[in-house]
Amino acid sequence: EDKVDAVKDKITHAVVMDATDAQAVKNLPCKDADVVIIAIGEDFGASIMVTAIFKQLNIKRLISRSINKIHETVIKAIGVDEILHPEEDSAERMAKSLQMKGVIDSLDVSDDYNIIEVQTPKRYVGLTISETKIRQDYNINILSLIKMEEKLNIFGVKSKTKKVTGVVTANTVIEDGDILLLFGHIKDINTILNLTD
């Protein structure tokens, strides 16, 4: 309830309620919602019941979190539009960041291609994107640069946030502390990550 109170003045609707109560759910402004996400963690029964209730309301886009394989089978049968696997996805990303030298975060585009965030190697600091010759030498594209900024979160606590600089040009200069957002074949990404500074 405290978390809902903290955001209630910053968003259109913030409600604390028992989502397994079908009558209470029907009173929500669901027709105005672009998407409903069911993110119930461990309560298998509650998650299925809430998913079914929202499915009956003909939500435009219904996304539900999968607790395990059996749960996933049931919510697929209910007809959710998308299924989230947060623990699994998070574990894969963590494994990749531990396995690949210097990787901060990653996103699998396919089995062979990845988008990764990596701390800028010292050899590229002060160079323009063109001068790095990353595309010519390693067949990797620099999609953007990310800078870290300190900001107050909604609870008033300082935290570091990422600020993406947008689409880079050949003349964009890479600065010390920048994070590179790279796209390429996993083999080529591994090659560049294993180079020494």
Side-chain angles (χ1 to χ4, degrees):
E1 290 181 16
D2 292 340
K3 290 180 181 180
V4 172
D5 282 340
V7 299
K8 69 181 179 186
D9 297 328
K10 298 176 181 169
I11 62 174
T12 308
H13 299 287
V15 179
V16 175
M17 62 173 282
D18 177 3
T20 62
D21 180 344
Q23 197 56 48
V25 170
K26 286 177 185 171
N27 292 324
L28 293 173
C30 293
K31 287 190 169 92
D32 299 332
D34 294 320
V35 63
V36 171
I37 302 172
I38 312 296
I40 296 171
E42 300 303 319
D43 192 334
F44 188 96
S47 175
I48 290 170
M49 185 182 297
V50 172
T51 302
I53 290 168
F54 278 98
K55 185 63 183 176
Q56 289 175 338
L57 295 176
N58 296 317
I59 300 298
K60 293 176 195 168
R61 183 176 173 203
L62 183 60
I63 301 172
S64 189
R65 174 180 184 245
S66 169
I67 296 171
N68 57 40
K69 292 294 180 191
I70 295 170
H71 180 253
E72 183 169 341
T73 301
V74 174
I75 59 177
K76 271 184 185 173
I78 291 171
V80 298
D81 299 304
E82 292 174 53
I83 297 175
L84 302 175
H85 307 90
E87 289 86 0
E88 196 176 302
D89 295 343
S90 184
E92 283 180 24
R93 289 167 61 191
M94 174 60 80
K96 190 161 284 171
S97 71
L98 294 172
Q99 179 185 13
M100 298 171 73
K101 179 185 168 189
V103 171
I104 297 167
D105 203 353
S106 67
L107 170 68
D108 291 346
V109 177
S110 71
D111 288 343
D112 298 326
Y113 287 88
N114 272 233
I115 295 174
I116 65 159
E117 292 177 11
V118 63
Q119 196 68 44
T120 298
K122 289 185 176 71
R123 65 183 171 278
Y124 296 133
V125 173
L127 300 180
T128 64
I129 300 295
S130 176
E131 289 169 339
T132 66
K133 298 188 177 179
I134 286 178
R135 185 169 183 166
Q136 298 92 313
D137 295 345
Y138 303 104
N139 202 30
I140 293 174
N141 286 329
I142 300 175
L143 301 178
S144 189
L145 301 178
I146 301 169
K147 300 187 183 293
M148 298 303 290
E149 290 185 341
E150 264 197 6
K151 280 189 173 180
L152 292 178
N153 66 19
I154 61 171
F155 304 108
V157 178
K158 277 188 183 178
S159 62
K160 288 194 174 188
T161 58
K162 296 176 182 177
K163 181 182 178 193
V164 178
T165 59
V167 179
V168 294
T169 68
N171 297 322
T172 301
V173 177
I174 301 171
E175 298 174 358
D176 192 27
D178 283 353
I179 296 169
L180 301 178
L181 188 63
L182 305 176
F183 169 73
H185 194 284
I186 193 74
K187 172 181 61 70
D188 297 324
I189 288 172
N190 272 318
T191 299
I192 198 168
L193 291 177
N194 288 315
L195 296 174
T196 58
D197 282 335

